[in-house]
Amino acid sequence: GQQVMQIPQYQHVQEGEDFTTYCNSSTTLSNIQWYKQRPGGHPVFLIQLVKSGEVKKQKRLTFQFGEAKKNSSLHITATQTTDVGTYFCAGPGTGGFKTIFGAGTRLFVKA
Amino acid sequence: NAGVTQTPKFQVLKTGQSMTLQCAQDMNHNSMYWYRQDPGMGLRLIYYSASEGTTDKGEVPNGYNVSRLNKREFSLRLESAAPSQTSVYFCASLPRQGIGYTFGSGTRLTVV
């Protein structure tokens, strides 16, 4: 069945270091969404990418959608302690399901 | 603006007990969803309601039932709780243009 895989599962960084999480789909996606979930919190929508090769920025966060629309990445420049949490990608599902979420990448930032 | 409100926030059930998780949204969204979140498995769709009066099964519907009471409210019922249903449950809604779920704060359910 359709899968959305994220790597790495978790990453520890020193504050100020960069961080990247990657999302790979087994099928071509019409769009991809990214969410952030703080520890103990709920997922919060960050952004949606639609176009092949699209790049969007939100302050220190850079989001990319691959040319083949099967992969995406989120890059954080100069991480801060406020960046801690789990980052999820999500894409439209097949078989009648609305959205397939990746398992997430948990980011730990050491001050 | 409250967004999506879920109750209760925490619940402990004994195996075989029943309970209903409540969800309400005040954003006039048509679509509402129930997800469960387990460690290392992301969010899995239990049931969804594309519009008032309709409900459909998601990826993991067994052991659950739902009711779309009106446009604002979408409840999830566990008729006979099992330890495998220990999880964090999130309700979410989606605007008509379909961009970006708004999630509730979650219900942390433990079945012993």
Side-chain angles (χ1 to χ4, degrees), chain A residues 35 37 40 42 88 96-97 99, chain B residues 33 37 48 58 101 103-104 108:
Chain A
Y35 294 79
Q37 183 177 23
H42 59 277
F88 294 95
F97 306 142
T99 302
Chain B
Y33 305 79
Q37 184 176 39
Y48 67 99
Y101 291 94
F103 285 87
R108 284 148 181 82

Side-chain angles (χ1 to χ4, degrees), chain A residues 2-6 22-32 65 68-72 89-92 100:
Chain A
Q2 182 186 9
Q3 290 187 320
V4 174
M5 309 295 291
Q6 272 188 264
Y22 299 91
C23 181
N24 296 289
S25 171
S26 58
T27 60
T28 301
L29 302 171
S30 59
N31 65 76
I32 193 154
F65 200 10
K69 301 184 76 173
K70 295 184 71 175
N71 58 77
S72 181
C89 63
I100 302 294

Side-chain angles (χ1 to χ4, degrees), chain A:
Chain A
Q2 182 186 9
Q3 290 187 320
V4 174
M5 309 295 291
Q6 272 188 264
I7 54 170
Q9 185 176 354
Y10 58 88
Q11 186 155 2
H12 294 257
V13 299
Q14 197 75 29
E15 188 174 25
E17 292 181 338
D18 292 356
F19 160 77
T20 304
T21 174
Y22 299 91
C23 181
N24 296 289
S25 171
S26 58
T27 60
T28 301
L29 302 171
S30 59
N31 65 76
I32 193 154
Q33 300 181 6
W34 285 92
Y35 294 79
K36 176 184 178 181
Q37 183 177 23
R38 295 182 185 275
H42 59 277
V44 174
F45 173 70
L46 295 177
I47 205 163
Q48 176 170 290
L49 304 174
V50 178
K51 298 177 183 177
S52 170
E54 188 170 15
V55 178
K56 287 188 175 180
K57 292 189 176 184
Q58 290 180 349
K59 297 183 180 178
R60 294 177 295 103
L61 278 61
T62 302
F63 303 85
Q64 288 189 296
F65 200 10
E67 294 290 341
K69 301 184 76 173
K70 295 184 71 175
N71 58 77
S72 181
S73 65
L74 159 59
H75 179 82
I76 302 178
T77 302
T79 55
Q80 300 176 356
T81 54
T82 53
D83 295 325
V84 298
T86 301
Y87 294 85
F88 294 95
C89 63
T94 58
F97 306 142
K98 299 295 287 186
T99 302
I100 302 294
F101 283 83
T105 295
R106 184 155 186 186
L107 174 63
F108 300 86
V109 180
K110 185 176 181 180

Side-chain angles (χ1 to χ4, degrees), chain B residues 22-26 28-33 49-55 66-75 91 93:
Chain B
Q22 307 288 351
C23 175
Q25 53 92 9
D26 62 1
N28 201 36
H29 289 172
N30 285 329
S31 305
M32 297 185 73
Y33 305 79
S49 171
S51 61
E52 185 179 356
T54 69
T55 61
V66 291
S67 295
R68 183 74 182 267
L69 305 171
N70 47 56
K71 190 170 186 178
R72 290 187 64 249
E73 299 172 286
F74 188 38
S75 62
C91 178
S93 68

